[in-house]
Amino acid sequence: PIIIVPAAPSALISIYNAKQFLEDGVWINPQLKKLQVTKERGHCSPDDNVMVSAEKMLRPDELAKFSCKHSHFRLTDNPERLKPSEWDHVCCAFVSGQAWQFDGWWSTHPVEIFTKIRGFHLVYQEERPHPVVSKWMVKTLAISKEENRRYNDKQVVKEFWNELYRFLSQLKSCN
C-alpha cells in the first residue's frame, strides 16, 4: 500500500519527517529535517522508496484486531510518478489543504478522492485546520507547537494507525 504525503514546504508532514513521525511518534519540523538530510547527503533529494510500518506504534494484539494484514507502507510525495496500476494501491494521503496538491492525481476532486482513500490533515493544536479541509472526508490530527508538549505525538500517531487500519479493514481488497 502507498501513503502520499504533501510536497508543500508549509506542510507539517513531508517525505523528510514522515518515517520518524509515523514509526517512532517523534515529530521534527520538516524543514529542519530537510536541512539535516542535505547536510548528511550533500543534496536534498528525498528517497524514492521510503517504507513505514505500524509495528513500533501498535502492539501485535492491537494489530490483530484488524482484518487488514498489511504491515509495510510505501511513502511518496510525488504522485505524478505513480504508474496507473499503482493508484489502486494508494490507501492514504496527508493533505495540506491546497487544491494544487491533487494535480497529477487520478482525480483532481478531493471529495471524490476521499471516498476511495483515507485522508488525514496534520495541524498544530494551537491553529485551526485549513478551512477547505472540512469539506473533504479527512481526519484532522493535531500536534502541539510547543516542544514541552511533544509527548502527545505518539498518541496522535497511534490514532493515525488505528484509523488507517480501521479504514483498510473495511475494504474487501485489503486482505
Side-chain angles (χ1 to χ4, degrees):
I2 300 169
I3 297 173
I4 299 174
V5 295
S10 61
L12 295 184
I13 189 165
S14 76
I15 199 75
Y16 296 100
N17 70 344
K19 183 173 179 71
Q20 192 167 6
F21 183 61
L22 297 177
E23 286 192 339
D24 302 325
V26 176
W27 183 84
I28 296 174
N29 181 298
Q31 293 303 316
L32 294 177
K33 190 70 176 172
K34 184 177 179 180
L35 288 172
Q36 179 186 355
V37 167
T38 303
K39 191 175 181 180
E40 290 169 2
R41 295 187 193 160
H43 62 84
C44 69
S45 300
D47 290 330
D48 281 341
N49 205 17
V50 179
M51 301 297 289
V52 295
S53 170
E55 292 170 347
K56 287 185 186 177
M57 294 306 297
L58 298 179
R59 296 183 318 268
D61 62 308
E62 292 174 304
L63 283 169
K65 70 182 177 183
F66 300 109
S67 63
C68 182
K69 300 303 177 202
H70 293 293
S71 61
H72 291 83
F73 297 79
R74 187 177 109 198
L75 295 176
T76 185
D77 67 347
N78 191 347
E80 291 180 353
R81 283 195 201 151
L82 294 175
K83 299 175 195 137
S85 61
E86 291 177 303
W87 279 104
D88 288 340
H89 301 284
V90 174
C91 64
C92 170
F94 280 89
V95 298
S96 61
Q98 308 299 323
W100 61 261
Q101 179 180 357
F102 305 105
D103 291 348
W105 287 43
W106 58 270
S107 172
T108 55
H109 304 289
V111 173
E112 180 183 1
I113 289 169
F114 296 113
T115 62
K116 298 188 180 348
I117 67 172
R118 190 65 176 115
F120 293 92
H121 182 50
L122 187 64
V123 298
Y124 287 125
Q125 288 171 339
E126 299 83 0
E127 297 176 4
R128 292 187 181 275
H130 195 287
V132 74
V133 171
S134 66
K135 297 174 185 155
W136 307 338
M137 284 190 347
V138 301
K139 179 164 184 59
T140 298
L141 301 171
I143 59 171
S144 180
K145 256 186 187 181
E146 314 234 354
E147 286 297 322
N148 63 346
R149 296 184 68 203
R150 297 256 61 105
Y151 58 86
N152 287 327
D153 292 356
K154 284 189 181 189
Q155 211 43 45
V156 171
V157 174
K158 283 186 80 148
E159 182 181 357
F160 161 78
W161 284 117
N162 276 300
E163 183 64 29
L164 179 59
Y165 273 103
R166 206 173 359 267
F167 174 79
L168 292 174
S169 293
Q170 295 171 357
L171 302 176
K172 290 182 177 152
S173 61
C174 183
N175 299 316

